[in-house]
Amino acid sequence: MKRIILTYTLAFSLLSAYAGEGGSPPLKNTDKSLLIDYVDPFIGTTNFGTTNPGAICPNGMMSVVPFNVMGSSENTYDKDARWWSTPYEYTNCFFTGYAHVNLSGVGCPELGSLLLMPTTGELNVDYKEYGSKYKDEQASPGYYSNYLTKYNVKTEVSATPRSGIARFTFPKGKSHILLNLGEGLTNESGAMLRRVSDCEVEGVKLLGTFCYNPQAVFPIYFVLRVKKNPSATGYWKKQRPMMGVEAEWDKDQGKYKLYTRYGKEIAGDDIGTYFSFDTEEGEQVEVQMGVSFVSVENARLNLDREQAGKDFEKIHAEARSKWNDDLSRITVEGGTDAQKTVFYTALYHLLIHPNILQDVNGEYPAMESDKILTTKGDRYTVFSLWDTYRNVHQLLTLVYPERQMEMVRTMLDMYREHEWLPKWELYGRETLTMEGDPSIPVIVDTWMKGLRDFDVDLAYEAMYKSATLPGAENLMRPDNDDYMSKGYVPLREQYDNSVSHALEYYIADFALSRFADALGKKKDAEMFYKRSLGYKHYYSKGFGTFRPILPDGTFYSPFNPRQGENFEPNPGFHEGNSWNYTFYVPHDVYGLAKLMGGKKPFIDKLQMVFDEGLYDPANEPDIAYAHLFSYFKGEEWRTQKETQRLLDKYFTTKPDGIPGNDDTGTMSSWAIFNMIGFYPDCPGLPEYTLTTPVFNKVTIRLDPKWYKENELVIETNRTQPGTLYIDKVLLDGKKFNKYHITHDELVHGKYLKFDLK
């Protein structure tokens, strides 16, 4: 998703000039003895990448992230944090706490709440005043640290799968730890707090309305403990203007007062709690937080089970170990340190989402329900499927099949609970963000690659339902009536994204046709395959692109195929222009080429997209464009050239080193695949297009439960540094005369060798 870009650009330009005042460049680790030492979590934290450098375990429920997007009296751009889609922006400089449970790489604001902030001196609970500039940022998998210049406090955080831990090193004097429940990225500000003891509080915070969808609201439960007895504790509540209550107005400060002492429990909007201490110079105070989406009791259980008997160093070491083990599924040799940093940071970003949802006792909130159910395996959440169906799940299937299998089972359990497969699911709520029917290609692709340990009949039932139900009853395809009767979706409202909708349906129906055929459902397979070719309706010979169609069957006018390239509203297309979508027919490349007049016009037009800057590296529909050249004999070199050029240009070790929203690992997956030498350009089809690897040797550790071989080795023979083009390919020592390789050929081949020229 590429939302709120125009407003974000304004704030970025205002804030970037002030980045150097309070911050400093992150400290780099030059000792790369472990794979995690190649990960730089600051990559993608600006240029709309919306990643963050916070602490998290692989696919963990908990993430602890520095929050620096709050409006304040010290920030140049004084704007509500709910306007941002990320808790952290590299060019910002004003820290207001650590957010617990966050999203990575998304384009809409949500979560980023439960803000934990250390301060010193006189107690101040106004977030526009208590924040601090910072320096000496450090980040690595499972760890983040900075130094607050206003308070002379060093802050450090780490995480377990379901809990977070912070360590604050205070100076001598009055010190405080604040928990702000009113602010964050979510539109919701309501919460409840209960004091359990002087050192512990529990409560619940409301989250939701992701991408401005009011139906997607849900609670997060928490337990927070400080590991030092405080000298004082209290609550606060930000007061709103009240008629006839002059005593609440502070005329000198020009604002309403805040309550700082209040009973045993408190509930409402904009509330918080504080713990005050008398600290010695260099004294460290640890703070623990457990979370759950089921109950306060489960939040406490998660915290107790995962942190009992452990201090900060132990938790940090365990997080590092988890990350290093996961990253070691792929080892690379050759290439530069910079390329390895890009690669392993991308692999790190891949493994942030989806996240486990179940507590340590297996309980989780059922999909779109108030029921609490129990799972024996892993229940996942955060399915950004419009993005991830293109490459994330294909990479998980290859390298982390045990997780991909659990994700498919989760998707089918969502159907059992809600009667629909997910589109863009978030903590048990369907946000209905973006378009299409993206669960279908994910499940089909997984099954086609041999991961079949799920209820296949139920999967087909769920897919058939969304593909055939009338639009008025269809959550996935609300315009299915037109699609089924006409073969396309006409433009009925100026900005209804009709072409984008239909192109997504075509891909889903192609995958479904293959699934139906494999299951022996020949009539269904024929029907869905015929539907998948309906894209031809949209092709305008006059423009040589796809073009919206009006209800009377005529093309929309006036039409400009470049409209939408700057994310302005564009009839028929979502977040892009016609050029970003015209080649998005991965299941029928030859049919599209025939529409365009054959091989040469197709190749010339596709090359023009790259040469004239019409390709958007951060827009999902066109990210596989470079691989389409390889469908035509003699043109494969263009794929090799363009993928390397795009890697070099858009994926770097700098904070802006991802070309736009990472989209929960989608852009990172594009980089990973292309760096190792192949890419799954057609979702649902168990094949890959070959391209030039970046490294001399890549070893992928395969899971023997799912693949009979223990590893896949990809080796590249370069005649000289910088050699770009493939001369020949060998599979297990035998010449391989194709530029497309099936999944079975790849995982059973054991050894793939590229000779470059």
Side-chain angles (χ1 to χ4, degrees):
M1 293 172 299
K2 308 293 180 292
R3 298 176 181 269
I4 64 173
I5 292 281
L6 296 178
T7 315
Y8 190 23
T9 303
L10 169 62
F12 177 83
S13 63
L14 288 169
L15 285 168
S16 59
Y18 287 82
E21 289 193 6
S24 64
L27 303 179
K28 301 295 184 180
N29 184 359
T30 57
D31 176 20
K32 296 181 173 60
S33 57
L34 298 172
L35 294 182
I36 55 173
D37 295 325
Y38 283 103
V39 175
D40 184 349
F42 290 101
I43 293 175
T45 56
T46 190
N47 189 37
F48 317 118
T50 66
T51 63
N52 65 70
I56 188 173
C57 288
N59 303 107
M61 176 191 297
M62 172 61 82
S63 58
V64 191
V65 176
F67 199 91
N68 72 358
V69 297
M70 195 86 79
S72 75
S73 57
E74 293 189 39
N75 246 347
T76 302
Y77 195 80
D78 189 0
K79 189 74 174 179
D80 193 299
R82 283 177 278 270
W83 169 87
W84 294 82
S85 65
T86 175
Y88 176 94
E89 218 291 337
Y90 181 77
T91 63
N92 285 10
C93 59
F94 194 74
F95 177 86
T96 51
Y98 284 105
H100 293 74
V101 183
N102 303 268
L103 298 175
S104 173
V106 302
C108 284
E110 188 47 66
L111 281 73
S113 191
L114 308 180
L115 297 174
L116 186 68
M117 178 70 187
T119 69
T120 62
E122 293 301 317
L123 178 66
N124 185 342
V125 298
D126 186 340
Y127 71 85
K128 291 191 175 183
E129 298 177 0
Y130 67 57
S132 172
K133 293 184 179 181
Y134 54 91
K135 64 180 182 179
D136 298 342
E137 287 188 282
Q138 298 185 57
S140 60
Y143 178 83
Y144 173 87
S145 175
N146 66 20
Y147 186 85
L148 305 184
T149 57
K150 182 176 181 178
Y151 300 115
N152 296 320
V153 172
K154 181 180 180 180
T155 81
E156 301 170 273
V157 292
S158 189
T160 72
R162 300 171 182 84
S163 70
I165 187 168
R167 182 167 65 187
F168 302 133
T169 304
F170 288 104
K172 182 178 177 61
K174 295 180 179 179
S175 300
H176 316 280
I177 293 172
L178 316 179
L179 177 63
N180 185 332
L181 299 180
E183 300 304 317
L185 301 184
T186 182
N187 282 315
E188 304 299 323
S189 60
M192 183 279 291
L193 264 170
R194 178 184 296 112
R195 190 164 305 285
V196 178
S197 69
D198 285 347
C199 295
E200 181 174 321
V201 294
E202 63 184 24
V204 58
K205 170 78 172 76
L206 198 60
L207 303 170
T209 65
F210 176 71
C211 274
Y212 320 107
N213 291 296
Q215 76 278 5
V217 178
F218 50 93
I220 183 171
Y221 302 90
F222 64 90
V223 170
L224 180 140
R225 292 178 187 147
V226 295
K227 297 178 75 173
K228 176 180 171 65
N229 289 324
S231 58
T233 63
Y235 298 123
W236 77 78
K237 177 175 173 58
K238 183 180 178 181
Q239 293 298 293
R240 297 181 177 182
M242 293 181 285
M243 292 294 292
V245 189
E246 295 294 334
E248 296 299 325
W249 180 254
D250 188 326
K251 296 180 180 179
D252 295 331
Q253 296 293 324
K255 63 183 181 182
Y256 282 84
K257 291 181 179 179
L258 305 171
Y259 286 129
T260 56
R261 292 193 179 278
Y262 184 86
K264 185 178 179 181
E265 298 177 358
I266 190 170
D269 293 329
D270 302 310
I271 64 173
T273 187
Y274 66 89
F275 302 83
S276 296
F277 309 91
D278 295 314
T279 55
E280 298 299 323
E281 182 66 34
E283 184 173 356
Q284 295 183 329
V285 179
E286 292 186 359
V287 186
Q288 304 168 308
M289 181 182 288
V291 295
S292 165
F293 291 87
V294 171
S295 67
V296 167
E297 291 75 20
N298 277 16
R300 182 173 288 106
L301 182 64
N302 290 339
L303 177 57
D304 290 342
R305 191 79 60 87
E306 294 187 348
Q307 293 202 31
K310 301 174 184 178
D311 61 6
F312 186 93
E313 293 300 341
K314 176 66 173 175
I315 290 168
H316 178 204
E318 290 180 350
R320 282 178 61 84
S321 178
K322 287 183 174 70
W323 276 113
N324 202 64
D325 183 63
D326 269 7
L327 296 176
S328 67
R329 298 274 186 109
I330 307 179
T331 56
V332 300
E333 300 174 33
T336 64
D337 275 4
Q339 288 170 327
K340 290 176 182 176
T341 294
V342 169
F343 181 82
Y344 282 110
T345 303
L347 195 56
Y348 166 79
H349 285 145
L350 166 78
L351 295 172
I352 291 176
H353 298 302
N355 310 96
I356 57 168
L357 181 61
Q358 84 281 0
D359 296 321
V360 291
N361 61 6
E363 292 183 342
Y364 68 90
M367 184 71 180
E368 290 291 343
S369 169
D370 59 0
K371 295 180 180 178
I372 302 301
L373 303 179
T374 304
T375 180
K376 293 182 179 179
D378 282 331
R379 168 75 173 213
Y380 283 93
T381 186
V382 189
F383 283 95
S384 176
L385 291 169
W386 182 84
D387 308 297
T388 60
Y389 87 84
R390 304 161 199 272
N391 56 28
V392 166
H393 290 283
Q394 289 87 331
L395 190 52
L396 293 172
T397 295
L398 177 64
V399 187
Y400 306 91
E402 76 287 358
R403 268 167 252 190
Q404 175 63 14
M405 193 71 268
E406 293 278 33
M407 289 174 195
V408 170
R409 292 178 185 139
T410 291
M411 294 162 75
L412 292 177
D413 281 341
M414 289 175 178
Y415 176 74
R416 290 185 178 96
E417 297 158 15
H418 178 47
E419 299 184 350
W420 293 99
L421 292 171
K423 176 178 282 190
W424 211 124
E425 178 273 348
L426 188 68
Y427 296 94
R429 296 293 180 262
E430 178 54 68
T431 71
L432 297 176
T433 303
M434 306 307 289
E435 53 262 315
D437 205 344
S439 286
I440 291 177
V442 170
I443 297 172
V444 171
D445 194 275
T446 305
W447 189 86
M448 290 290 182
K449 291 174 179 172
L451 276 63
R452 301 180 176 181
D453 190 12
F454 59 87
D455 190 331
V456 175
D457 292 335
L458 184 72
Y460 190 79
E461 173 191 310
M463 297 177 193
Y464 188 88
K465 175 183 177 179
S466 65
T468 59
L469 205 64
E473 309 168 47
N474 201 321
L475 197 65
M476 295 294 107
R477 306 189 188 194
D479 35 24
N480 211 27
D481 292 342
D482 283 333
Y483 177 75
M484 290 190 296
S485 62
K486 299 176 182 292
Y488 60 89
V489 178
L491 183 73
R492 294 190 177 276
E493 298 179 14
Q494 189 173 13
Y495 302 123
D496 62 5
N497 305 323
S498 57
V499 185
S500 298
H501 283 206
L503 291 174
E504 295 291 344
Y505 301 157
Y506 298 139
I507 291 169
D509 281 348
F510 171 76
L512 184 50
S513 74
R514 290 181 53 80
F515 195 38
D517 186 65
L519 297 178
K521 303 177 186 295
K522 302 300 181 182
K523 288 186 178 180
D524 286 357
E526 182 180 351
M527 174 183 68
F528 291 126
Y529 180 70
K530 183 178 179 181
R531 276 198 203 174
S532 76
L533 303 181
Y535 71 88
K536 298 174 182 178
H537 291 287
Y538 288 110
Y539 187 71
S540 168
K541 290 184 178 180
F543 285 92
T545 65
F546 290 156
R547 183 178 176 184
I549 303 173
L550 298 173
D552 64 4
T554 62
F555 282 121
Y556 166 80
S557 291
F559 175 65
N560 175 7
R562 297 188 66 149
Q563 184 176 341
E565 62 185 350
N566 294 314
F567 291 94
E568 70 271 17
N570 184 18
F573 298 97
H574 193 175
E575 297 182 0
N577 62 37
S578 180
W579 286 111
N580 302 140
Y581 282 90
T582 288
F583 290 89
Y584 190 44
V585 190
H587 58 287
D588 193 32
V589 176
Y590 298 118
L592 179 62
K594 185 177 180 181
L595 268 185
M596 292 181 173
K599 172 183 172 180
K600 188 177 187 307
F602 178 92
I603 294 296
D604 289 346
K605 189 179 296 185
L606 183 58
Q607 188 63 59
M608 180 200 71
V609 168
F610 291 98
D611 293 345
E612 296 187 7
L614 298 172
Y615 171 81
D616 182 353
N619 199 32
E620 272 74 1
D622 68 7
I623 59 175
Y625 275 17
H627 305 87
L628 303 182
F629 293 114
S630 291
Y631 281 77
F632 300 91
K633 189 174 182 179
E635 304 295 341
E636 300 90 353
W637 65 273
R638 297 179 190 269
T639 294
Q640 298 151 35
K641 177 184 177 182
E642 291 297 339
T643 54
Q644 297 304 301
R645 182 183 69 83
L646 295 171
L647 281 171
D648 290 343
K649 182 176 181 179
Y650 293 111
F651 293 89
T652 73
T653 60
K654 297 179 181 179
D656 63 356
I658 297 176
N661 296 166
D662 194 39
D663 288 329
T664 67
T666 302
M667 296 299 138
S668 290
S669 294
W670 188 96
I672 293 166
F673 269 122
N674 284 289
M675 292 181 90
I676 62 179
F678 52 91
Y679 187 81
D681 52 271
C682 183
L685 191 67
E687 293 183 0
Y688 309 91
T689 297
L690 300 179
T691 189
T692 307
V694 165
F695 303 105
N696 294 340
K697 186 177 181 181
V698 177
T699 303
I700 301 176
R701 196 173 85 210
L702 298 177
D703 188 334
K705 179 179 178 180
W706 304 102
Y707 303 117
K708 70 177 185 179
E709 305 298 340
N710 291 322
E711 64 180 25
L712 167 66
V713 177
I714 303 155
E715 195 165 345
T716 304
N717 179 34
R718 304 174 191 277
T719 56
Q720 59 186 13
T723 305
L724 181 62
Y725 299 108
I726 298 172
D727 184 30
K728 63 180 178 180
V729 179
L730 297 139
L731 183 63
D732 272 352
K734 297 179 181 179
K735 192 171 183 181
F736 191 77
N737 293 315
K738 302 177 293 181
Y739 283 87
H740 289 85
I741 187 169
T742 69
H743 181 76
D744 281 348
E745 288 173 329
L746 187 68
V747 298
H748 296 143
K750 293 191 296 184
Y751 181 71
L752 183 67
K753 183 179 180 183
F754 293 85
D755 283 341
L756 305 186
K757 60 181 179 181

